[in-house]
Amino acid sequence: MHIAKLHPHFAAEVTGLTLTTNLPDAVIEALKDALEEYAVIVIRDQQALTDDVQIEFCKRFGALQRSITVHREDTARRLKRDELSDISNVDEKGERMSADDKRRLLQKPARLWHSDNSFRSPPGLYTFLAAKIVPPEGGNTEFADMRAAYDALDDRMRRRIAGLQVRHSLGWSREQAGAPPLSESEKANIPESVQPLVRFHPKSGRTSLYLSSHGRDVLGMSDPEGRALLAELTAFATRPEFVYSHKWREGDLVIWDNRDTMHRATPFPEDRYRRDMRRTSVEDDQVAIAG
Ligand SMILES: [Fe+2]
């Protein structure tokens, strides 16, 4: 296994590794260490990875989260296992969905900078995204390093945000992205969450900004004040020097730490090309707040 850094602050490429269901513990620990250091790791050449192996591999990193798509009765599901989220523009027959297909519209919030599942409690820890079919142009995923962004904040801002808490809501990000609103089942099953704005990681000793487009308001602030603060921090934290833009190759499995990064999808010609990507995630049962 070989690890090579991809960006001055974070992100690394892993080669020489084939993912199976019986990897030695030492390999899993090495990958966890790489995630601690780089926050985003790109494991290349996993064309043979099946959905079942992806799920079993993912379990080695924590408790799996069920996909929120299980709470939509009004859309068909191509992937039948509850642990898989379908990040694709293809239907059950493998054909491109039309532009007005609700399943495509529901992916619109992914174009906004976010941390996966920040609206859930517990929130997302690691996301695993496997690329089966990628378009030949466009469709990069951009990642922003929330630790480097925190490190670059001035003392005045660090003091201002210390101890603040943010309410996160999937309905809010859907609204901001112009996506369909929550269904009745989603409303009943996906409550809002409250998360710290600043997080401390005991193992690495680093601190990160915990931002996400799901973040709706800051507790104890008026809506305009809280939203202006979140917008200012997001603009700062996603400046080009903090961003790694990942150009996907078929067979990539990218794993990222949602505590330390935000990400967003970028457009590609969806009516010309197919994209098939499959996501699993594990939950974060230890949300640490910077003191
Ligand atoms: Fe995402």
Side-chain angles (χ1 to χ4, degrees):
M1 182 165 101
H2 180 72
I3 299 177
K5 206 170 179 184
L6 292 167
H7 181 279
H9 290 307
F10 72 134
E13 178 184 69
V14 177
T15 50
L17 175 66
T18 301
L19 302 182
T20 61
T21 54
N22 57 356
L23 287 170
D25 288 342
V27 172
I28 301 297
E29 289 309 311
L31 292 172
K32 286 182 182 173
D33 288 346
L35 280 162
E36 192 76 31
E37 183 169 356
Y38 302 109
V40 179
I41 58 174
V42 178
I43 306 178
R44 299 285 193 191
D45 306 318
Q46 305 305 310
Q47 282 86 346
L49 185 73
T50 64
D51 292 346
D52 289 343
V53 171
Q54 180 176 344
I55 288 167
E56 291 307 310
F57 171 70
C58 195
K59 282 182 187 168
R60 306 283 296 275
F61 293 79
L64 277 154
Q65 293 183 304
R66 292 172 80 211
S67 169
I68 58 167
T69 55
V70 301
H71 300 302
R72 285 210 77 101
E73 286 92 11
D74 57 346
T75 51
R77 286 166 62 202
R78 179 177 65 114
L79 308 175
K80 301 305 178 194
R81 290 199 60 170
D82 288 354
E83 301 92 336
L84 286 169
S85 290
D86 195 358
I87 315 293
S88 309
N89 67 345
V90 294
D91 62 18
E92 310 79 53
K93 295 175 190 151
E95 297 182 356
R96 283 194 310 275
M97 298 173 193
S98 63
D100 61 351
D101 191 298
K102 194 171 258 181
R103 289 168 291 183
R104 263 178 66 175
L105 299 176
L106 288 167
Q107 293 177 26
K108 286 173 77 174
R111 298 271 172 87
L112 306 177
W113 285 106
H114 66 282
S115 175
D116 283 336
N117 284 330
S118 68
F119 52 86
R120 294 168 79 169
S121 189
L125 172 56
Y126 302 131
T127 296
F128 303 70
L129 189 54
K132 308 295 180 185
I133 301 171
V134 300
E137 56 181 290
N140 282 20
T141 299
E142 296 180 336
F143 295 92
D145 185 345
M146 296 293 104
R147 304 167 304 182
Y150 182 84
D151 290 347
L153 290 175
D154 60 34
D155 288 343
R156 183 194 58 83
M157 181 60 93
R158 287 192 196 178
R159 281 196 298 274
R160 185 175 173 209
I161 64 177
L164 291 180
Q165 294 196 298
V166 178
R167 191 183 315 280
H168 292 247
S169 153
L170 178 60
W172 173 252
S173 49
R174 290 250 181 98
E175 192 182 323
Q176 299 309 300
L182 297 182
S183 68
E184 289 306 314
S185 173
E186 285 174 324
K187 278 184 201 162
N189 287 288
I190 311 173
E192 298 173 344
S193 72
V194 172
Q195 310 288 358
L197 177 56
V198 179
R199 295 180 64 167
F200 178 67
H201 307 293
K203 192 172 168 192
S204 66
R206 296 195 69 180
T207 304
S208 63
L209 277 173
Y210 191 49
L211 293 167
S212 182
S213 60
H214 305 303
R216 192 184 67 197
D217 48 61
V218 179
L219 271 56
M221 286 187 184
S222 68
D223 285 355
E225 186 188 7
R227 284 169 197 166
L229 175 62
L230 295 176
E232 179 185 350
L233 289 169
T234 299
F236 178 85
T238 57
R239 293 192 326 202
E241 65 262 38
F242 303 128
V243 173
Y244 162 67
S245 182
H246 182 62
K247 180 168 177 50
W248 291 91
R249 293 183 206 162
E250 289 178 2
D252 282 351
L253 177 81
V254 177
I255 313 174
W256 62 88
D257 186 327
N258 286 289
R259 302 169 304 180
D260 290 337
T261 57
M262 277 203 291
H263 61 282
R264 68 175 176 181
T266 65
F268 67 95
E270 290 216 40
D271 295 318
R272 289 201 353 239
Y273 303 118
R274 294 187 304 154
R275 181 170 75 164
D276 184 340
M277 299 174 93
R278 300 167 189 209
R279 186 184 109 177
T280 47
S281 51
V282 297
E283 67 183 30
D284 182 7
D285 57 4
Q286 293 183 333
V287 180
I289 302 170

